[in-house]
Amino acid sequence: MRKKLDTRFPAARIKKIMQADEDVGKIALAVPVLVSKALELFLQDLCDRTYEITLQRGAKTVSSLHLSNMSMEKLGCCESFLKSSKPYFAMISLQFGYAGMNIITKISLNTGMSHYVLVVYRHAIATAVIAPFAFFFERKAQPKITFTIFMQLFILGLLGPVIDQNFYYMGLKYTSPTFSCAMSNMLPAMTFILAVLFRMEVLDVKKLWCQAKIAGTVVTVAGAMLMTIYKGPIVELFWTKYMHLQHANDTTPSSNSNDNKDFLKGSILLIFATLAWASLFVLQAKILKTYSKHQLTLTTLVCFIGTLQAVAVTFVMEHNPSAWRIGWDMNLLAAAYSGIVASSIAYYVQGIVMKKRGPVFATAFSPLMMVIVAIMGSFVLAEKIFLGGVIGAVLIVIGLYAVLWGKQKENEVTHCEMLEPTKNIDKVTEDVEANNGTEMKYSDSMLSTIVISTPATETTLKKTSQEP
C-alpha cells in the first residue's frame, strides 16, 4: 500500500526565507500561509505524477530520471497545445488581414481609384512577392505545362484576378465593406451548387449530412436575397448615433433613390463575384492534383497570368492614362496591402491550414471577418448598418455552418468507408501470421472483402461446380 507523503512546508520557514531579503519589509500574516499551501499542492502533484511514471516503468524506487521524464511530459503537453492552437491563431489573424483590406480598399475606391488599375497593381505586387519563394523552395521537379494545364491556368487567372476581383471591387464601391463580406459568405453554398451541376458531388437525400447541405444552401440564398431586396431601418450603435444623424440631415430624397439603385447594382455584382470565386475553387481542386507539391508555383502562375489579363482588360475599359498614375497615398497602400497581405500571405497561410485541417476548418472563420469589418467600418467610414442586412447576414451565417457541418460529416463518413476494407485485410494478415499460414479463420466481412477484391475466373468457377 502506498504511503501518504508529507509535502507540507511550514509557514514560519517561508516567512524566515522571505525576510532574509533586505528589500522585504513587513509581511502580512496571510502571505506565508498562502505560499505554504501553494507549495504543498505543487509538491503533492509533482510526487503523484512521478510515482505514476515510476509504476509505468516497473521500478521500485523513484529516481531523478523519472522526475525528468515527468517534466518532459508536462513540457510536451504545453508544446502540443501550442502546436494545435497554431491553425486557430493563423485563421483569426487572416480574418483581421482581410478586414483591413476591405476597409483600405473602400477608402481608395471612394477617392477615385480605378478598380481595374487596382486589380493590376495588386496582382503584380503579389506575383513579385511570391515568385522568389516559389523559385527557391519549389524549383525542383516542376510539372510540365501542357496545353491543357495552360488553359486551366488561363481560366483560373480569368476567374480570380479578373472577373472575381473586378466584380467584387465594383460591388464594394456601390455598397459597403460589411455588406460585401456578408455576401462573400455565400461561397460554400455556391461551390456546392456548382459541384452538383458538374456532377462532382452526388446528392443522397436520405443522408442527414446531405439534407443539411441542401437546407444550408437554401437558407444562404434566402439570406442573400433578403439583403439585396430589403434594407429596413438603420441599426444604431451607441458610438455612431451622432454621425448618422448628421448624415441624415445632409441627404436628400433624390440622393436616397440613387443610393438604392447603386445598392441593388452592387448586390448583383457581388453575387456574380462570389459565383466566379466558387467556379475558381471547383477548377482549382482539379489542377491541384498536378501542383500538389508546388502550391507557391501555382499561385505565382495564376497571379502572373491574371495580371496580364487584367492589363488587357484595363486598356480596353480604362481610356484615361492618368488612371494609371499612383503616388505615395492611399491608392498605393491599397494596392500594396492587397497584394502582400490578401494575395501573397493569405494564399500561403490558407494553403497550409487547409492541408493540415481541411477546407471546412479554413472556411468556418469567414463570419469573423464580417464582424470585424462591421466594427471597423462603423468607426472609420461611419458605415450604416441596416436591419435587413443584419437579418440576412445571420441567415447566411446559419446556412454557411449548416453546409460546413454537412461537408464535415460527409468527409468523416467517406474516411470511415475507406478504412473498413483496410481493417478487414489487417485482420486476415494477423490470422495468417498467428497460424503460420496453415489455418485461416475468416469472418463473413473478411470473406466478402476477399471475394470483392479477387473475383473468380471462368475456369475457377467450372472447377468449383465439378466438385461434389
Side-chain angles (χ1 to χ4, degrees):
M1 187 176 178
R2 179 187 170 190
K3 294 181 180 180
K4 187 176 181 181
L5 297 173
D6 186 11
T7 57
R8 290 177 296 176
F9 206 87
R13 188 179 299 177
I14 291 174
K15 185 177 180 180
K16 189 176 180 180
I17 294 172
M18 295 173 71
Q19 287 179 338
D21 191 349
E22 296 178 356
D23 297 330
V24 177
K26 293 182 179 181
I27 301 173
L29 293 174
V31 173
V33 177
L34 290 174
V35 174
S36 174
K37 190 62 179 176
L39 186 59
E40 178 186 344
L41 294 174
F42 170 73
L43 290 174
Q44 184 67 45
D45 183 66
L46 187 69
C47 293
D48 289 341
R49 291 178 181 273
T50 308
Y51 177 74
E52 290 175 2
I53 290 175
T54 306
L55 291 179
Q56 291 174 5
R57 300 291 189 275
K60 295 182 179 180
T61 307
V62 178
S63 65
S64 58
L65 181 63
H66 299 144
L67 184 62
S68 64
N69 289 337
M70 189 277 301
S71 303
M72 292 301 294
E73 285 186 3
K74 292 286 286 182
L75 291 173
C77 292
C78 297
E79 187 179 354
S80 63
F81 171 75
L82 292 174
K83 192 175 290 184
S84 61
S85 302
K86 281 182 181 179
Y88 293 91
F89 291 131
M91 290 308 302
I92 291 172
S93 303
L94 210 58
Q95 302 313 311
F96 277 96
Y98 278 134
M101 185 271 294
N102 278 276
I103 299 296
I104 294 172
T105 303
K106 176 66 174 177
I107 297 173
S108 175
L109 293 173
N110 288 344
T111 56
M113 177 72 172
S114 170
H115 59 86
Y116 297 109
V117 177
L118 180 59
V119 168
V120 173
Y121 285 143
R122 168 180 174 170
H123 289 90
I125 293 172
T127 305
V129 171
I130 302 173
F133 293 98
F135 176 76
F136 284 110
F137 294 110
E138 298 180 351
R139 57 182 172 181
K140 295 181 180 179
Q142 284 281 345
K144 291 183 179 180
I145 301 179
T146 61
F147 179 75
T148 305
I149 293 176
F150 175 77
M151 289 305 299
Q152 290 175 349
L153 292 170
F154 184 86
I155 296 172
L156 280 175
L158 190 65
L159 288 173
V162 179
I163 299 176
D164 171 42
Q165 292 298 320
N166 277 299
F167 277 31
Y168 184 81
Y169 284 157
M170 282 190 284
L172 178 64
K173 186 176 182 179
Y174 290 132
T175 57
S176 65
T178 305
F179 185 88
S180 302
C181 293
M183 295 292 281
S184 66
N185 286 322
M186 293 175 59
L187 178 64
M190 288 276 194
T191 308
F192 174 66
I193 293 172
L194 289 174
V196 172
L197 291 176
F198 288 102
R199 296 183 179 180
M200 297 175 66
E201 196 152 340
V202 181
L203 289 179
D204 191 356
V205 186
K206 295 180 181 179
K207 301 289 185 181
L208 181 61
W209 51 263
C210 187
Q211 295 173 4
K213 289 166 73 173
I214 295 172
T217 303
V218 173
V219 172
T220 301
V221 174
M225 295 298 294
L226 180 65
M227 291 182 70
T228 304
I229 297 171
Y230 174 70
K231 290 180 72 173
I234 297 176
V235 178
E236 295 287 355
L237 303 174
F238 67 91
W239 63 81
T240 59
K241 286 184 179 180
Y242 176 74
M243 290 184 288
H244 289 167
L245 288 173
Q246 187 177 12
H247 182 74
N249 294 330
D250 297 337
T251 55
T252 60
S254 60
S255 64
N256 286 329
S257 62
N258 292 331
D259 289 343
N260 291 332
K261 290 179 181 178
D262 291 342
F263 190 83
L264 181 61
K265 189 191 300 182
S267 303
I268 296 171
L269 288 170
L270 288 172
I271 291 173
F272 278 111
T274 309
L275 183 62
W277 196 4
S279 304
L280 182 142
F281 270 98
V282 172
L283 181 59
Q284 191 178 18
K286 186 175 182 181
I287 199 172
L288 271 174
K289 297 176 182 178
T290 307
Y291 286 90
S292 58
K293 297 181 180 179
H294 300 83
Q295 294 183 0
L296 289 173
T297 304
L298 176 62
T299 305
T300 304
L301 290 173
V302 171
C303 288
F304 177 69
I305 294 173
T307 302
L308 298 179
Q309 293 173 340
V311 168
V313 171
T314 307
F315 277 132
V316 174
M317 302 299 296
E318 197 67 58
H319 303 288
N320 187 7
S322 61
W324 292 89
R325 192 177 303 157
I326 192 169
W328 295 95
D329 52 9
M330 185 59 69
N331 296 338
L332 178 62
L333 177 62
Y337 186 93
S338 301
I340 296 172
V341 177
S343 292
S344 305
I345 298 176
Y347 287 169
Y348 181 69
V349 172
Q350 199 162 341
I352 293 176
V353 173
M354 287 175 69
K355 186 182 291 185
K356 289 186 177 181
R357 302 299 296 268
V360 175
F361 180 86
T363 316
F365 288 84
S366 56
L368 178 62
M369 176 181 64
M370 181 178 62
V371 177
I372 298 170
V373 168
I375 296 173
M376 292 175 63
S378 62
F379 277 109
V380 179
L381 301 171
E383 181 184 341
K384 292 184 288 185
I385 301 174
F386 296 95
L387 180 62
V390 173
I391 298 173
V394 170
L395 289 176
I396 288 176
V397 171
I398 292 172
L400 167 71
Y401 282 116
V403 174
L404 294 179
W405 181 86
K407 189 65 180 174
Q408 182 69 23
K409 290 298 178 183
E410 181 189 5
N411 292 339
E412 291 176 0
V413 171
T414 306
H415 183 67
C416 291
E417 289 176 353
M418 290 174 65
L419 287 178
E420 279 182 1
T422 309
K423 290 180 180 178
N424 293 331
I425 293 170
D426 291 339
K427 289 180 181 178
V428 175
T429 308
E430 288 175 3
D431 287 339
V432 172
E433 292 175 353
N435 295 282
N436 295 323
T438 57
E439 295 179 0
M440 295 177 65
K441 296 179 182 179
Y442 300 103
S443 63
D444 295 337
S445 59
M446 296 177 197
L447 285 172
S448 63
T449 306
I450 296 172
V451 170
I452 291 171
S453 59
T454 56
T457 59
E458 293 181 2
T459 56
T460 310
L461 289 172
K462 288 179 180 178
K463 291 180 180 179
T464 308
S465 60
Q466 290 174 1
E467 291 178 359

